[in-house]
């Protein structure tokens, strides 16, 4: 059976704040909608499911995020996850310039959890705490692969 990743869904406190963060990083909004009804209740498993959604696409066209802000039932605020907690962990992006990505993140009040690390001579990478506590990883490849 062929399988393809469709998107990663993330519940957020403030849809507009999350859209602003990810579009500043270069993602494009493909769809904005409000969803509700029996089909939404069945698909998600919540009675009275009603949410504002936005689907964003990465510039290369290969990745998508579906962001959703619940109208009903009320969103449940949780403590931001830590990197070693079980469950949904983070969303990761390859970037050409990690410093530029961090400047954009900082404009949204988002800063590295600790700093920028270098993994061998392969990557510079960091985790930032994004909108709604989402952990976002930026990775800048230091050496381009030769395609061996």
């Amino acid at each position: 059976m062929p399988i393809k990743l469709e998107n990663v869904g993330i519940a957020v406190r403030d849809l507009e704040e999350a859209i602003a963060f990810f579009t500043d990083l270069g993602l494009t909004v493909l769809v904005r909608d409000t969803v509700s009804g029996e089909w939404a209740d069945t698909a998600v498993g919540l009675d009275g499911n009603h949410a504002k959604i936005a689907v964003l696409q990465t510039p290369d066209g290969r990745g998508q995020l579906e962001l959703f802000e619940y109208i009903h039932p009320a969103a449940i605020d949780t403590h931001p996850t830590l990197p070693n907690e079980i469950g949904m962990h983070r969303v990761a992006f390859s970037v050409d310039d990690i410093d530029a990505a961090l400047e954009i993140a900082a404009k949204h009040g988002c800063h590295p959890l600790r700093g920028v690390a270098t993994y061998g001579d392969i990557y510079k990478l960091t985790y930032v705490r994004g909108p709604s506590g989402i952990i976002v990883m930026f990775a800048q490849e230091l050496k381009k692969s030769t395609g061996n």
Side-chain angles (χ1 to χ4, degrees), residues 111-122:
H111 304 281
L113 298 184
R114 182 164 294 169
V116 177
T118 302
Y119 175 65
D121 59 356
I122 303 167

Side-chain angles (χ1 to χ4, degrees), residues 115-128:
V116 177
T118 302
Y119 175 65
D121 59 356
I122 303 167
Y123 286 103
K124 285 173 65 174
L125 50 97
T126 190
Y127 283 12
V128 300

Side-chain angles (χ1 to χ4, degrees), residues 32-73:
R32 290 180 72 121
D33 202 357
T34 302
V35 297
S36 64
E38 186 177 331
W39 73 268
D41 292 0
T42 300
V44 176
L46 292 172
D47 291 332
N49 181 32
H50 189 187
K52 296 186 290 185
I53 69 163
V55 177
L56 289 80
Q57 185 167 36
T58 57
D60 66 0
R62 297 178 65 190
Q64 293 183 357
L65 294 180
E66 181 178 333
L67 305 173
F68 38 95
E69 178 184 334
Y70 276 92
I71 298 166
H72 185 271

